Amino acid sequence: NEYKSYLRMSVYFDQRVLTPEQSTHTLMTWHPRYPFLAVATKNQHMNANTGTVSIFHREGQPLEEGAIELECQATAMRWHPTKKLLAMGWENGYIVIWIDKQTDSIAIPDGHKSPVSVVSWSSNGSRLMTGDERGVLVAWRCDGKGNLHQLQNYQKRSGFTHCVFMPSEESSAKNITFLARAAVEGNEAAMDMIDPSKPAKMPGGEILACYVASEDGMVYSIDEKLVIKECVNTATLIKEMFIHDEKKVLVIILHNLTMVSYSYEYDYNLTEIAKVRLAGKSSVSSAIWITNGLIATAASEEIVRVWDVNQDANFCLYGATEVVNCLSYSKNLMTLAAGLMSGKVIMWNHKSGLYDCDSWAYLTSVDLRDSFVQIEWCSDFPYLAANNISDVLVLNKQPITHFYDAVTAVVQVGPYEIQLQQFSPPALMHLRTDMHVRGVTKADENIIMWNNSTVIVYEVDIKKNHSKLIGNFNAESSVMVAYMQTIFTAETNRICLRNFQGTIKQVLDMTEVEGSPLHMHIADRYLVVYTSNGFLKSYDTYRRETRQSNPPKNLKENFPDEECVIRSIKVNCNGTKVAILASKSASSPDPRLIVWYCETDVLLGYDFGKGKPLKPFGKNIDSVSSTDIIDQGESEETANRYPIFASWDPSDPRVLVVQITDIPEDPNEKNKDLSKSLQEALGLIKAKEKKPTANPDNIVSLFVTQDNGVLLHDCFTLNPSFLKFIAVNVPWFFFIAKPDKNIRERVRSVSMKNFLGLENSTPEVRKAMLDFAYEMTIGNMDEAFLAIKVIKSETVWENMAKMCVKTRRLDVASLCLGHMGHARGARALRDASKEPELNARVGMLAIQLGMLEDAERLYISCQRYDLLNKMYQASNQWSKAIATAEIEDRINLRTTYFNFARHCELSGDYQSAINAYEKSETHRFEVPRMLQNDAPALEEYVIKSNDKKLMDWWAQYLESTGQMSPAIHFYKASKNDMALVKVLCFMGNIDEAMSVARDSKDKSACYHLGRQLEKNGMYKEALEFYGKATAYTNATRVCRDNGFDAELITYALYSTPTDMIQCAQYYENINNYFDKAVLLYHKAGMVSKALQLAFDRQEFSALQHITSNLDDKANPEVVNTCAQFFLQHHEYTKAIELFILGKKYLEALDICIEQHIRMTDSMVENMHPETNKDPEYKKLLYERIGECCMSQGNYHLATKNFTQAGNRIKAMKALLKSGDTEKIVFFAGVSRQKEIYIMAANHLQRLDWRQDPEIMNNIVTFYTKGKSLDSLAGFYDACAQVEIDEYQNYEKALGALSEALKCITKATMDRDLKEQREIEFQRKITYVKKFIAAKRTYEMDKEESMKRCASLLEAPSIEQAVRTGDIYGFMVEHYVNHKNYQKGFALLNELRAQLPGASLNYYVDQSYLDQITENLGVALATERQVPPDAGHGHEEIEEDLGRYLD
C-alpha cells in the first residue's frame, strides 16, 4: 500500500515490522534517543500462549539478538533514557533487562509475584521503579553495566498504574530559580538550601524523587531517600500524570473527564490549585503532554482538545472526520498526530513560540485502512509507529526527490512512483517500481532511481508513455548523478563510473586527506564533488576518461573559525562557478550563498541574513579587484532569510536562482546566570512576547559574473499553491505544486517578469533581454539599450518598464512609457515626482503598469500608507483599504469609509453604504439623501438608528408637511425641547408645553413659552419662564409694566446695567424701596449716585454694603466722603479702613491713637505708601505706625515698621520689650550696630545665662562686637562672684577676674574710673590667689596654711574678694580634724560676730558642727540662710543694666 502526504516537500511510506505470525501486538515504544522500536506480542500457536518482545531498527528491520520470549505476556516496558537498554515487566512478575549487543537478557524473578503494571526510569536512568497489580512497588538502582539492585519495596492496598519521575535539572540556575521562589514564599527547607552559610543540599542534574498512582486514585510521593507518603486521594481511576517542571505543577487527568493541577514544594507535598471539567462525550481515551504546559486530549470526539495549563485556557484542533482514539506528538518535528477509528492519521504542525489556536496548522491525513489503538513518534527521527493489534507499521517521512534537465522534469509522487513531465511538446508519464525511491536522476532518455543499496535504470519514451527496464544492480551509495551513458555513484573514498548495467568503467579515487564523497552535482559535462573532509573537486567528463579540471578547493581552510556543514553544491553550465549552501552547524543554517569561482579560486556570494552581497573572501582574494564588485546595498526583501535551494540556468552561466526562507529563531537557551535566575524567580524578568508568524518563502534571481560578483536581479514571493522551486530555464521558473485532484501535473512553469509575452521568442531575443537585464542590474544604461535596440515589440518595452520597478530607474521608465505610448502613465509618473520618497514614485510607476503587488510592497517599505490606501481604493480592494486606514492611515479613515460608502451606493448595496456612511460620520446627511425617494425605508432607518439628530431632522420634515402628532413623537425622541414646545404652543397645548419646559430647563424653549404666555396675558407664568430662560430684560419689563415691584428686584439684579438703572429709577419714584434703588445703582456701577442716594436717605445698611465692595480703584473723594460719614457716626473701625483705602494713612493712625483702636496686621499691610512717595513721608509714616504699635504692645509689628523706617535702635527697643530672645539675637547679628550689640548683651544678662552656655557666649560676643569692654569686665566680675557664691570654685573665679582685668585694661572710659576699677580687680585677684595658695599649702604645711588664712582675715576689704565665711570654715574644719574643738568653737564665734545673720552650716559642713556640739556640749544654730554678702556682684550688674536700658 502507498500512503502519500505532502508536508512541505515530504512523502510518507510504510514498512511493516516482522513480528511472529499469528500474534497480537499489545505494546510498543520507541527509544527516546535512538531509532529503536520495542514491540510486545502475544503469540498463539500450538495451543500455547507465549509472549515476545522484539527490537526493531529504524524502518522495521529486526535487530540481531533483539527478541525476548517467555511463557507469559509482557505487561509493561520502558527504554532507558540514555542507554540502549530496555526494562520489561511480565505477567509472572519477572523484570527482564535487554541490553544491546549482549547475547542474553537479564531476568530478575525477585520483587514481584503478580503482573507488572508500571515500569519507569528516572531522568538519567540511575533508578528504576516497578509496580504490580497487587500493590507491590520496588525501587531499583541501575549500575553502569545495566544490572539492577533492589533498594526498597513497598506494599500498598491496590495495584499501581502510573509513575512519573521529576525531570532532570538542566542547570543550577534553573534549580536555584525554583529555590528562590520557594524561599520568598517562606519555605524553610528552600531557605536552608539557598543559604550560602550552610552546607550545600542542592541536588545535581538528576532528581530521584517521583510520584506514583494506584488503581484506587491514591497518589504517593517518594523522595530521594526512598521515603514514601500519601499526598492526594482522587478517589477516581487516573488516566495520565504529567509534571510541568517550569511551573512546579503536577497535572492529573482522571477517567471521568476531570483535570486537576497540584503545586508541589521541595518536600513534595501537593496543594490543589485548579480543577477543570474536561469536555468530551465519554472518558478520556488518550492524553499526551505537548510542550510548555500544553496537553492534548481525545475523548470519543471528532476533535482534539488542547488545554493550556499556564493560561487556564483551551482550544480545539479540527480536521478529523471520525472519532479520535489515540494521540502522539513529535517535539523534533513539532507535529501532532491523531489516530482515528477508521485507520486514518491526521497531522497538525505547531509553530514555534506560539501557544494558541492560531499556532497550529493542519498538515495532512494518511489512510492506514485498519483501525489502530496506539501511535507513537520516534523522538529524534521522522518515524511514526502505528499498532493496529494485528500489525505494527512504521511510517517514514522523507523529502521528495526531483530532477530537471531543461527538457524533462522528474518528481517523486509516492514512495514507489515518479512522474515524468515533458514541456515541449507537452507530455506526462508515471513510472512505478517495487523499490522505495530515495533518489532519481535522468540521462538522455534514461531514468535512474536508487534506494541506497539498489539502482534501477529505465529507458523511457514519454510521448508514447513507454518504459523499459535496462539495468538493475546493487550499489551502496546514497548520492548519484548521471551523464550520457554513465552513472556516477558516491562510495567510500571513491566515485565509481558505471554503465547502466552496473559495470564499473572508471574509478575516481579520493585521497585519505580528502575523505569520502558526500555531495555531487553535474551540469552538462561538468561534475563537482564535495568530500567529507571539506574538499571541493571539479571534473570534466567530456573526454573518454573523466579528468579533474581544477585543483581541489579546501573549503575548511576558508572557514577556520566555523563548523562548516555543506548542504548542497551546484555547478553552472560551463563549469566555472559552483554555488554552495552551507550550515554553521548541524542545526543552524548559514544565511550565505557562497559561489566558488573555479578558475580564479575566489569565494564570493550573497548574505541573505543581511540582504546584501558578500565581499570576496578566501585565500586568493588578491586576484579580484574590489573596485569591480558592485555594492547594491541592503535589500529588505532578502534580509533575515537563508537559502534552501539553488539552481543554475542550463544555458546561461550567469543566472542563478535561489529559494530563501525565514531564519529559524534560536531555541530558548537555559539561563545559567544565578543572579538572573533569582531575579526571574522573584518576577523581575518580563516574560517573552509571542513570536510573529513566519513569512512565505521568496524566489531570488541573481547574476553571477567574474567581474561584478553576485548581484541581486529580482525577488518575488513563492505562490502559496507551490511547494518548492526546482529549476530555472530562461524564460521559465519551474515549481513543484501542491497536490490538486483536478490537475495531474506536479510541476508548473512560471514565466519571468522580463519575458512576459516573449516566452516563445527566438533565442536571440531571449539573449538580448537577458543582456538588457544584466546591464540594467549593473547600471550600464548605454549597453542596456544597445542590447535591445533590435527589438521593436511594445511588449518588450513594457517588460523593460516593469524591470525599472525592480531597479528603481525612473529615467529609463519614462523612456519606456514613451515607446509604449502610455501617456496616462507618463503623466502620473511626472506628477509623482513631487513625492519625497523614491519608493513612492516607483510605486506609482508600478500601479500604471498593473504591478499592484509591487506597488503595495514599495508603499509599505517607505511607509506611505496614504498612497497605499488610495491604491487599494482605486483597485477596488476595499477590505485592504479599510484595514490600512484603521491601522496606519487613521487621518484618512473617515474619507476611506466615505468613498467606500459611495462605491456601495453606486453598486446598489445600500445596507453596506449605510454602515460605511455611519463610520464616516456623514450618515446624517448622506443616508437621507440616498433614501430620499423611499420614505418608508428612510423612516425605518431613522427609527432604527436611534440618532437624535436624524430624528430631529425627520421631525422637522414631518412638521413641514403638517404632520404634527408624529412630529411631536420624534421631537420627544430627539430631545429637541425647543421645537417640541413650539409645536405644542402652536397646537394650543400650553399646559403640556409648560411641563416640557420645566422638565427640560431648555432656555430657548422657556423663552418661547414665556413670550406665548405674555401674549396670552399670563404674566406671572411668563415671569417664571423668562427667569428660567435668563431673559431678565423681558422679565423686568413685565414687572415694571404690571406693577410687580417685589419681584422686580429679583430679576433686575441679574439683568444688564441699563436695565438695572431703569429699575433703580423706577424704585426712586416709589416709597419704601430706596434701599433697592441704592443697591441697583451700585450694582450698575453708578457708585456716586448710589452713595448720594444713601446719604440723602440715611440708608446706613445700604451704605455698609456699598463700602464693603470698594477697592483701591474707587474714587478717592467718594471713599473720603464715606469715611467721614462713618467717623461722624462713630464707626471708627470702618472709617479707619476707608481712610486706609483712600491712602490717608496719617488720619487713620490718629483715629487709632485717639480712639484706642488696635492696629491689626491687615491694617499695617495696607498702609504701604507708593514707591514714588517722598522718602521723608514714608519714614514718618513707618515711625508713626511703629509708635502706635509700640503703645498698643504689638512689639513685633512695631519692630518691623521701625526697621522699614530705618530706625534700628527703636526697632531693637521694641524687640527687647517683646522678650523674644531668639529674634533679639538674630536682629543684633544682622544689624551690626554697636549700640544694638550692647543692648542685646544687656538683655541677655537678665536671663539665666548661668544654665545656658550659648547665652553666655552671645553676651561675650555682643559686648566684644559692641566694644563695651567695661561692661564685659563687669560681666566677668559677676561670673567670678557666681563661682564663689554658688560653687566656692575660686580657681574659676580667678580666671574670670583675670579676664575682667584684661577687659578693663583695654576699655575706653574715664581715666580715674578706669584706674580705680583696675586697682579693685587687682586687689581681688591678689586676695583670691592668696586664699588658693593657702588651701594648696595645707597638704604640705598645715600650720603655715592656718597662718595664711589668719592673715587674710585681718586684710582690709577681704570680703569684696574672698568670703570670710569660707576662710573661717576652712580653718574650723582643720581644727576639728585635729580634735581642737575649743579653737574651732572660738573661730565659729568670730564668724558669728562678723556675720551676725549667717547660718553656720552654710560655710561649715554639718558633720563638723555636730562634732563640736558633741564634744563641748554647746548648742549651735544651723538654720540655712543666704549669707549677707551673697548677690553683691549681681546688684552692680543690675545697676549697669538699668543704666544701659534707660
Side-chain angles (χ1 to χ4, degrees):
N1 297 329
E2 300 173 12
Y3 312 107
K4 306 171 185 176
S5 173
Y6 287 84
L7 173 57
R8 187 164 179 85
M9 278 303 294
S10 302
V11 62
Y12 284 95
F13 58 87
D14 73 293
Q15 175 69 46
R16 179 183 177 277
V17 300
L18 300 177
T19 54
E21 296 181 0
Q22 298 181 355
S23 60
T24 301
H25 302 80
T26 57
L27 300 171
M28 69 174 186
T29 181
W30 286 100
H31 194 288
R33 288 196 178 184
Y34 305 103
F36 285 178
L37 176 66
V39 179
T41 58
K42 179 180 180 181
N43 309 322
Q44 299 176 352
H45 54 87
M46 298 179 64
N47 298 324
N49 292 329
T50 62
T52 304
V53 174
S54 304
I55 313 298
F56 300 92
H57 183 66
R58 287 189 181 275
E59 301 167 13
Q61 303 91 344
L63 292 182
E64 295 182 5
E65 307 297 338
I68 304 94
E69 184 173 356
L70 295 180
E71 294 181 356
C72 58
Q73 312 305 317
T75 53
M77 57 185 181
R78 184 68 61 89
W79 284 100
H80 191 280
T82 58
K83 299 177 181 179
K84 297 177 182 179
L85 183 152
L86 178 67
M88 297 160 280
W90 295 78
E91 199 172 22
N92 60 0
Y94 276 35
I95 302 297
V96 178
I97 301 297
W98 175 87
I99 303 175
D100 186 29
K101 298 182 181 178
Q102 288 191 12
T103 305
D104 298 326
S105 57
I106 304 171
I108 305 172
D110 301 332
H112 300 282
K113 302 301 181 183
S114 60
V116 177
S117 55
V118 172
V119 177
S120 180
W121 292 96
S122 62
S123 58
N124 289 349
S126 63
R127 182 171 293 180
L128 174 69
M129 300 296 295
T130 60
D132 61 28
E133 295 179 357
R134 292 186 181 178
V136 176
L137 185 68
V138 182
W140 309 84
R141 180 178 63 85
C142 180
D143 61 20
K145 295 181 179 180
N147 297 318
L148 296 183
H149 306 277
Q150 189 176 122
L151 299 175
Q152 185 66 275
N153 58 43
Y154 313 91
Q155 177 66 57
K156 296 299 177 182
R157 55 181 174 267
S158 60
F160 291 96
T161 58
H162 296 84
C163 175
V164 289
F165 274 89
M166 293 291 179
S168 62
E169 294 291 356
E170 297 181 3
S171 67
S172 61
K174 180 179 178 182
N175 193 35
I176 202 68
T177 298
F178 174 60
L179 283 171
R181 186 183 297 112
V184 169
E185 294 172 354
N187 188 302
E188 294 183 0
M191 292 179 184
D192 293 340
M193 292 181 182
I194 205 170
D195 189 352
S197 64
K198 298 184 179 181
K201 300 180 181 179
M202 192 182 306
E206 184 179 29
I207 300 178
L208 299 178
C210 64
Y211 290 100
V212 293
S214 58
E215 293 177 350
D216 58 358
M218 182 65 70
V219 178
Y220 304 88
S221 68
I222 302 177
D223 62 15
E224 292 87 346
K225 297 180 181 179
L226 297 173
V227 177
I228 188 170
K229 59 182 176 181
E230 295 182 0
C231 294
V232 173
N233 186 1
T234 63
T236 306
L237 184 62
I238 294 175
K239 176 64 179 178
E240 290 292 347
M241 291 201 310
F242 307 106
I243 290 182
H244 189 2
D245 188 44
E246 292 184 6
K247 300 294 183 180
K248 301 303 175 187
V249 170
L250 175 69
V251 182
I252 298 178
I253 297 180
L254 307 178
H255 265 279
N256 62 359
L257 294 175
T258 303
M259 181 172 67
V260 190
S261 299
Y262 300 92
S263 64
Y264 60 85
E265 302 294 341
Y266 254 80
D267 54 6
Y268 304 112
N269 288 330
L270 297 177
T271 303
E272 183 177 329
I273 58 176
K275 191 171 185 179
V276 180
R277 176 70 179 176
L278 304 179
K281 294 182 179 180
S282 62
S283 63
V284 177
S285 59
S286 180
I288 61 169
W289 180 267
I290 298 178
T291 182
N292 196 38
L294 296 184
I295 297 175
T297 63
S300 302
E301 295 180 297
E302 292 79 15
I303 58 176
V304 175
R305 299 185 185 271
V306 181
W307 305 85
D308 189 340
V309 177
N310 298 330
Q311 305 295 331
D312 193 20
N314 67 88
F315 53 88
C316 298
L317 300 180
Y318 299 95
T321 57
E322 300 170 11
V323 173
V324 179
N325 64 344
C326 52
L327 300 169
S328 181
Y329 179 75
S330 172
K331 188 175 181 180
N332 186 39
L333 300 177
M334 302 183 70
T335 301
L336 175 65
L340 309 186
M341 293 295 292
S342 63
K344 285 186 178 180
V345 177
I346 306 296
M347 297 185 187
W348 295 269
N349 181 246
H350 183 210
K351 299 176 184 177
S352 175
L354 301 179
Y355 303 103
D356 54 13
C357 183
D358 296 334
S359 65
W360 294 85
Y362 174 80
L363 291 180
T364 186
S365 66
V366 180
D367 190 0
L368 299 178
R369 293 179 177 82
D370 295 328
S371 176
F372 44 90
V373 296
Q374 182 186 5
I375 59 174
E376 184 175 341
W377 283 103
C378 184
S379 296
D380 295 331
F381 300 90
Y383 304 128
L384 178 67
N387 178 11
N388 63 4
I389 305 298
S390 60
D391 288 309
V392 173
L393 305 176
V394 176
L395 295 181
N396 183 14
K397 170 189 170 187
Q398 75 165 53
I400 293 177
T401 183
H402 56 83
F403 180 81
Y404 177 80
D405 66 350
V407 177
T408 306
V410 183
V411 179
Q412 183 181 13
V413 294
Y416 307 94
E417 182 179 4
I418 62 174
Q419 182 187 83
L420 290 80
Q421 183 176 344
Q422 183 174 292
F423 296 94
S424 181
L428 189 68
M429 174 182 175
H430 283 258
L431 184 61
R432 297 174 56 85
T433 70
D434 296 331
M435 176 186 69
H436 286 168
V437 178
R438 296 287 189 180
V440 63
T441 187
K442 181 175 179 289
D444 297 336
E445 302 301 324
N446 305 297
I447 297 295
I448 300 98
M449 293 177 284
W450 65 92
N451 70 347
N452 300 341
S453 60
T454 304
V455 182
I456 55 177
V457 183
Y458 286 91
E459 181 181 350
V460 296
D461 187 341
I462 302 176
K463 296 179 181 178
K464 298 179 180 180
N465 195 16
H466 172 74
S467 64
K468 176 183 178 183
L469 179 65
I470 60 175
N472 186 342
F473 59 90
N474 294 329
E476 296 293 333
S477 176
S478 60
V479 179
M480 300 183 189
V481 295
Y483 177 67
M484 298 181 69
Q485 299 296 314
T486 303
I487 302 175
F488 299 81
T489 61
E491 302 178 20
T492 304
N493 292 327
R494 65 178 186 172
I495 298 175
C496 295
L497 281 67
R498 303 172 184 265
N499 60 19
F500 292 156
Q501 288 71 41
T503 304
I504 298 177
K505 301 189 297 183
Q506 183 182 351
V507 176
L508 304 178
D509 291 319
M510 305 291 150
T511 65
E512 184 177 351
V513 174
E514 295 170 343
S516 300
L518 294 182
H519 300 286
M520 292 193 302
H521 182 253
I522 194 167
D524 198 2
R525 69 187 195 190
Y526 299 102
L527 172 70
V528 289
V529 180
Y530 177 74
T531 66
S532 58
N533 290 337
F535 283 86
L536 196 61
K537 305 182 70 175
S538 60
Y539 296 89
D540 189 346
T541 64
Y542 183 71
R543 302 176 181 85
R544 182 179 182 85
E545 291 186 355
T546 299
R547 295 182 181 180
Q548 191 169 323
S549 57
N550 292 293
K553 175 69 173 178
N554 188 352
L555 291 181
K556 290 189 176 181
E557 291 182 355
N558 296 277
F559 305 97
D561 300 329
E562 300 181 19
E563 182 185 352
C564 179
V565 179
I566 301 300
R567 294 185 284 119
S568 170
I569 57 173
K570 295 292 178 67
V571 64
N572 66 348
C573 61
N574 62 4
T576 57
K577 305 175 189 68
V578 178
I580 304 169
L581 304 185
S583 295
K584 295 179 180 179
S585 64
S587 59
S588 177
D590 191 334
R592 300 176 299 176
L593 166 73
I594 301 169
V595 178
W596 176 41
Y597 290 73
C598 304
E599 296 175 350
T600 58
D601 193 20
V602 174
L603 294 174
L604 287 171
Y606 196 93
D607 188 347
F608 291 102
K610 298 178 181 179
K612 64 178 183 179
L614 289 170
K615 294 181 179 180
F617 65 101
K619 287 191 173 182
N620 298 323
I621 58 175
D622 296 337
S623 62
V624 179
S625 174
S626 58
T627 57
D628 295 336
I629 304 301
I630 297 176
D631 185 6
Q632 293 181 307
E634 296 184 3
S635 170
E636 295 181 1
E637 294 178 291
T638 61
N640 301 316
R641 304 290 185 107
Y642 76 97
I644 60 174
F645 186 80
S647 176
W648 293 94
D649 184 82
S651 57
D652 193 317
R654 299 172 298 177
V655 179
L656 175 64
V657 180
V658 184
Q659 180 176 346
I660 58 176
T661 190
D662 280 341
I663 295 177
E665 298 201 13
D666 294 335
N668 296 327
E669 297 183 359
K670 301 297 181 182
N671 186 7
K672 298 183 179 180
D673 183 11
L674 180 61
S675 62
K676 187 174 181 181
S677 298
L678 285 170
Q679 294 180 33
E680 184 178 3
L682 299 175
L684 300 178
I685 298 178
K686 296 181 179 178
K688 294 183 178 179
E689 297 180 356
K690 290 184 176 181
K691 299 177 184 177
T693 57
N695 296 316
D697 291 357
N698 284 352
I699 307 300
V700 179
S701 60
L702 304 167
F703 282 114
V704 184
T705 63
Q706 183 71 40
D707 297 332
N708 299 310
V710 180
L711 300 175
L712 174 65
H713 170 237
D714 191 14
C715 177
F716 62 92
T717 302
L718 179 67
N719 192 307
S721 63
F722 296 154
L723 286 174
K724 183 183 179 182
F725 162 75
I726 61 168
V728 58
N729 188 6
V730 177
W732 302 102
F733 295 116
F734 295 93
F735 300 90
I736 296 179
K738 294 180 180 179
D740 189 337
K741 296 180 179 179
N742 300 320
I743 302 176
R744 296 179 59 197
E745 293 83 1
R746 290 287 187 253
V747 178
R748 313 277 175 80
S749 59
V750 176
S751 175
M752 294 181 172
K753 293 181 180 179
N754 306 347
F755 291 88
L756 292 175
L758 300 175
E759 294 86 349
N760 299 319
S761 58
T762 62
E764 291 78 11
V765 173
R766 294 183 187 178
K767 183 179 183 307
M769 285 300 300
L770 204 57
D771 291 341
F772 170 78
Y774 173 71
E775 299 297 341
M776 286 284 290
T777 302
I778 65 175
N780 192 342
M781 302 306 302
D782 294 337
E783 293 295 331
F785 285 112
L786 185 63
I788 59 168
K789 66 178 184 179
V790 297
I791 302 176
K792 303 300 181 181
S793 171
E794 182 179 325
T795 304
V796 174
W797 289 106
E798 182 179 356
N799 292 336
M800 288 173 56
K802 290 181 179 180
M803 288 179 62
C804 293
V805 173
K806 293 296 181 183
T807 59
R808 300 192 295 184
R809 292 296 301 266
L810 297 179
D811 52 345
V812 179
S814 299
L815 183 61
C816 294
L817 291 174
H819 282 281
M820 293 167 57
H822 200 316
R824 175 176 53 83
R827 179 175 180 178
L829 189 61
R830 184 170 61 252
D831 295 339
S833 62
K834 301 176 183 178
E835 300 295 340
E837 299 89 355
L838 175 59
N839 281 359
R841 301 193 292 271
V842 177
M844 178 54 68
L845 172 63
I847 292 174
Q848 299 303 318
L849 296 174
M851 304 169 66
L852 298 185
E853 293 183 1
D854 294 87
E856 178 181 16
R857 175 180 51 80
L858 289 165
Y859 283 146
I860 292 175
S861 66
C862 66
Q863 298 184 355
R864 288 302 302 272
Y865 298 104
D866 54 336
L867 300 179
L868 179 65
N869 188 0
K870 290 181 180 179
M871 185 201 76
Y872 284 147
Q873 294 182 42
S875 59
N876 206 23
Q877 301 182 66
W878 289 103
S879 59
K880 289 185 176 181
I882 292 173
T884 302
E886 287 180 341
I887 298 173
E888 301 290 352
D889 189 29
R890 295 194 65 85
I891 194 172
N892 293 316
L893 179 60
R894 290 178 57 189
T895 304
T896 303
Y897 276 121
F898 181 80
N899 294 336
F900 178 59
R902 284 291 177 89
H903 166 76
C904 294
E905 182 182 352
L906 293 175
S907 60
D909 187 357
Y910 289 151
Q911 186 57 49
S912 299
I914 289 173
N915 294 335
Y917 278 135
E918 288 176 348
K919 291 180 178 179
S920 68
E921 299 181 14
T922 59
H923 58 288
R924 296 182 183 92
F925 173 79
E926 296 295 340
V927 174
R929 176 194 58 76
M930 182 175 66
L931 301 177
Q932 60 184 343
N933 296 326
D934 190 354
L938 180 56
E939 182 175 5
E940 181 182 1
Y941 170 73
V942 170
I943 294 172
K944 288 184 178 180
S945 69
N946 200 25
D947 187 284
K948 292 182 180 179
K949 292 186 177 180
L950 276 176
M951 289 184 176
D952 184 48
W953 175 83
W954 184 246
Q956 292 176 19
Y957 169 77
L958 293 175
E959 182 185 355
S960 66
T961 59
Q963 303 179 57
M964 296 301 177
S965 295
I968 290 175
H969 170 72
F970 281 99
Y971 276 136
K972 287 181 179 180
S974 65
K975 303 295 183 182
N976 190 342
D977 300 305
M978 166 59 189
L980 179 59
V981 168
K982 182 181 67 173
V983 174
L984 289 173
C985 290
F986 175 79
M987 297 178 66
N989 196 346
I990 299 297
D991 293 336
E992 186 177 354
M994 292 172 64
S995 176
V996 171
R998 286 194 183 100
D999 294 340
S1000 68
K1001 299 180 182 179
D1002 183 271
K1003 292 183 179 181
S1004 58
C1006 291
Y1007 177 77
H1008 180 83
L1009 181 57
R1011 291 189 62 187
Q1012 292 294 323
L1013 292 171
E1014 183 183 1
K1015 183 178 180 182
N1016 296 340
M1018 303 170 67
Y1019 300 113
K1020 287 285 185 181
E1021 291 80 0
L1023 278 179
E1024 175 190 353
F1025 289 100
Y1026 277 142
K1028 291 180 181 296
T1030 65
Y1032 300 117
T1033 300
N1034 298 63
T1036 56
R1037 175 179 53 76
V1038 171
C1039 288
R1040 292 198 306 270
D1041 293 345
N1042 296 279
F1044 299 149
D1045 299 337
E1047 292 83 357
L1048 176 60
I1049 187 65
T1050 304
Y1051 301 107
L1053 287 174
Y1054 295 101
S1055 189
T1056 63
T1058 303
D1059 290 337
M1060 290 180 187
I1061 293 172
Q1062 292 178 1
C1063 293
Q1065 292 172 352
Y1066 175 81
Y1067 275 127
E1068 260 190 289
N1069 300 322
I1070 303 175
N1071 294 328
N1072 301 326
Y1073 286 99
F1074 295 110
D1075 57 339
K1076 293 181 174 56
V1078 171
L1079 182 61
L1080 290 173
Y1081 277 130
H1082 174 251
K1083 187 79 173 176
M1086 298 180 66
V1087 180
S1088 299
K1089 178 67 175 176
L1091 288 172
Q1092 185 62 43
L1093 187 59
F1095 290 151
D1096 294 344
R1097 299 293 181 175
Q1098 293 294 307
E1099 293 290 341
F1100 188 75
S1101 60
L1103 191 58
Q1104 285 271 22
H1105 177 73
I1106 294 172
T1107 55
S1108 64
N1109 293 325
L1110 292 176
D1111 54 16
D1112 55 355
K1113 298 180 181 179
N1115 189 338
E1117 294 182 0
V1118 173
V1119 175
N1120 185 49
T1121 303
C1122 293
Q1124 293 297 337
F1125 175 82
F1126 282 111
L1127 187 61
Q1128 292 172 7
H1129 289 80
H1130 307 293
E1131 290 287 336
Y1132 300 113
T1133 302
K1134 193 66 179 179
I1136 290 171
E1137 292 178 355
L1138 290 173
F1139 277 128
I1140 293 173
L1141 185 62
K1143 304 188 185 311
K1144 294 191 175 184
Y1145 306 125
L1146 296 179
E1147 289 84 344
L1149 288 172
D1150 291 339
I1151 296 173
C1152 287
I1153 295 171
E1154 293 172 1
Q1155 303 299 330
H1156 304 289
I1157 304 300
R1158 184 172 180 81
M1159 295 286 290
T1160 63
D1161 291 345
S1162 61
M1163 289 181 182
V1164 176
E1165 288 295 329
N1166 292 329
M1167 287 185 182
H1168 283 304
E1170 294 85 348
T1171 55
N1172 57 359
K1173 277 285 186 181
D1174 182 17
E1176 292 297 327
Y1177 170 78
K1178 292 167 66 176
K1179 180 178 180 181
L1180 174 63
L1181 176 61
Y1182 284 128
E1183 286 196 358
R1184 288 286 302 277
I1185 295 173
E1187 291 170 356
C1188 182
C1189 293
M1190 193 77 163
S1191 65
Q1192 295 176 354
N1194 195 342
Y1195 301 116
H1196 285 94
L1197 205 52
T1199 301
K1200 179 179 179 182
N1201 283 276
F1202 281 135
T1203 303
Q1204 288 177 322
N1207 194 335
R1208 292 180 178 270
I1209 300 298
K1210 286 187 177 182
M1212 188 61 179
K1213 288 181 178 181
L1215 200 56
L1216 289 173
K1217 286 185 176 294
S1218 71
D1220 192 335
T1221 303
E1222 184 177 353
K1223 290 186 178 179
I1224 290 171
V1225 173
F1226 175 76
F1227 188 77
V1230 299
S1231 296
R1232 300 175 182 272
Q1233 290 186 17
K1234 177 180 177 182
E1235 295 82 358
I1236 293 177
Y1237 281 131
I1238 296 172
M1239 294 169 69
N1242 291 342
H1243 169 77
L1244 294 176
Q1245 280 204 59
R1246 294 182 177 181
L1247 305 178
D1248 189 7
W1249 49 267
R1250 304 167 188 83
Q1251 302 299 327
D1252 193 341
E1254 186 177 354
I1255 295 178
M1256 184 179 292
N1257 291 334
N1258 285 331
I1259 293 171
V1260 175
T1261 301
F1262 289 158
Y1263 276 139
T1264 303
K1265 291 184 177 181
K1267 298 182 179 180
S1268 180
L1269 298 180
D1270 55 341
S1271 299
L1272 183 57
F1275 175 67
Y1276 279 128
D1277 188 17
C1279 291
Q1281 195 63 44
V1282 169
E1283 293 295 334
I1284 293 171
D1285 292 342
E1286 298 292 336
Y1287 309 106
Q1288 292 81 44
N1289 192 334
Y1290 284 90
E1291 284 81 2
K1292 286 189 177 181
L1294 179 60
L1297 290 171
S1298 299
E1299 292 295 329
L1301 179 60
K1302 291 179 183 178
C1303 292
I1304 203 65
T1305 303
K1306 297 178 182 179
T1308 303
M1309 56 188 300
D1310 182 70
R1311 184 173 182 180
D1312 294 338
L1313 180 60
K1314 180 179 181 181
E1315 290 178 357
Q1316 180 184 351
R1317 297 288 299 277
E1318 287 179 357
I1319 293 170
E1320 181 183 348
F1321 284 132
Q1322 287 174 353
R1323 182 173 64 252
K1324 286 184 178 182
I1325 291 171
T1326 301
Y1327 287 155
V1328 171
K1329 285 182 177 180
K1330 286 182 178 181
F1331 182 59
I1332 294 172
K1335 293 177 73 174
R1336 290 177 179 173
T1337 308
Y1338 181 78
E1339 296 295 332
M1340 297 179 292
D1341 189 349
K1342 295 179 175 57
E1343 293 298 329
E1344 179 63 27
S1345 176
M1346 292 298 104
K1347 288 179 182 181
R1348 291 186 179 185
C1349 289
S1351 167
L1352 282 174
L1353 290 173
E1354 297 175 358
S1357 303
I1358 184 62
E1359 189 66 31
Q1360 295 180 1
V1362 181
R1363 296 189 306 181
T1364 55
D1366 292 338
I1367 300 173
Y1368 278 117
F1370 180 66
M1371 294 176 71
V1372 168
E1373 291 176 2
H1374 164 70
Y1375 287 115
V1376 171
N1377 288 333
H1378 289 78
K1379 311 299 182 180
N1380 191 349
Y1381 302 111
Q1382 289 291 344
K1383 183 63 175 177
F1385 182 68
L1387 290 173
L1388 288 176
N1389 289 332
E1390 291 181 15
L1391 175 59
R1392 281 180 176 179
Q1394 290 194 19
L1395 302 173
S1399 178
L1400 295 178
N1401 60 1
Y1402 184 81
Y1403 299 105
V1404 182
D1405 190 87
Q1406 184 65 39
S1407 62
Y1408 293 100
L1409 296 177
D1410 292 341
Q1411 292 183 47
I1412 294 173
T1413 302
E1414 182 181 350
N1415 288 283
L1416 297 181
V1418 295
L1420 298 174
T1422 58
E1423 295 179 358
R1424 182 67 182 263
Q1425 296 180 3
V1426 178
D1429 57 345
H1432 173 69
H1434 305 303
E1435 294 175 358
E1436 293 181 356
I1437 295 298
E1438 294 293 338
E1439 292 175 1
D1440 292 341
L1441 286 174
R1443 184 173 66 253
Y1444 281 111
L1445 289 173
D1446 293 338

